[in-house]
Amino acid sequence: MRARLLPMLAGGLLVLAGVAGLVRGSGSPAAASGAAVAAAPIVVTNAYVRPPVPPTDVAAAYFTVYNTADRDDRLIGVATGAGATSVLHTAGMTAAANGAVIPAHGSLVLSTGHGHVMIEQLFGKLRPGQTVNLDLTFENAGSIPVTAQVIEPDAPAPTGSSAPSTGVTK
């Protein structure tokens, strides 16, 4: 009996840890508890993707990155399985060759006219309601997976609690 109890107890602890990770990754830092914010150096919220509007075949991903750490961090790469390439662009459609700095206790907001991740050479059609996985790589925080919902091309950008998805933190 005791030999079976240990694996069951270990499995239960893994489930609890997984649930705690999901809760920690949801919402904005303002909505998270102080302990959760302190445990997560980078929090990503309001992630969404606008599908291509013909004649273009390029999608754009948007999100907000909060840096809860005491030192600056830099978003140095974004990968996705939705397309062959993904490039971080800052305001003015300029590719951010060296990434984008997120100041200590500050944020980076990628929004229409203020930067995005351009997803090129799509592997299929993106339809509203689908999700796109993004893997954000930070200089200090490492890799953080984010799920972004595809919204209508002309839909208003989701914000706050109405956002269709939030990032998962490390």
Side-chain angles (χ1 to χ4, degrees), residues 42-163:
I42 296 292
V43 178
V44 181
T45 63
N46 301 340
Y48 65 98
V49 173
R50 291 194 188 277
V53 176
T56 183
D57 62 351
V58 176
Y62 304 94
F63 46 84
T64 299
V65 179
Y66 296 95
N67 180 358
T68 66
D70 292 331
R71 66 178 177 164
D72 294 354
D73 206 337
R74 180 182 299 272
L75 176 58
I76 56 175
V78 180
T80 180
T85 61
S86 53
V87 180
L88 175 64
H89 285 231
T90 56
M93 292 292 289
T94 305
N98 296 322
V101 173
I102 302 92
H105 303 286
S107 63
L108 167 69
V109 179
L110 298 181
S111 61
T112 304
H114 296 95
H116 59 275
V117 173
M118 186 174 285
I119 305 170
E120 301 173 310
Q121 301 170 7
L122 297 173
F123 295 131
K125 187 170 177 83
L126 295 179
R127 292 180 174 80
Q130 293 178 323
T131 58
V132 171
N133 293 327
L134 303 168
D135 187 31
L136 309 183
T137 303
F138 294 87
E139 198 168 69
N140 299 320
S143 178
I144 298 177
V146 174
T147 300
Q149 188 165 4
V150 178
I151 65 169
E152 293 283 349
D154 57 351
T159 59
S161 62
S162 68

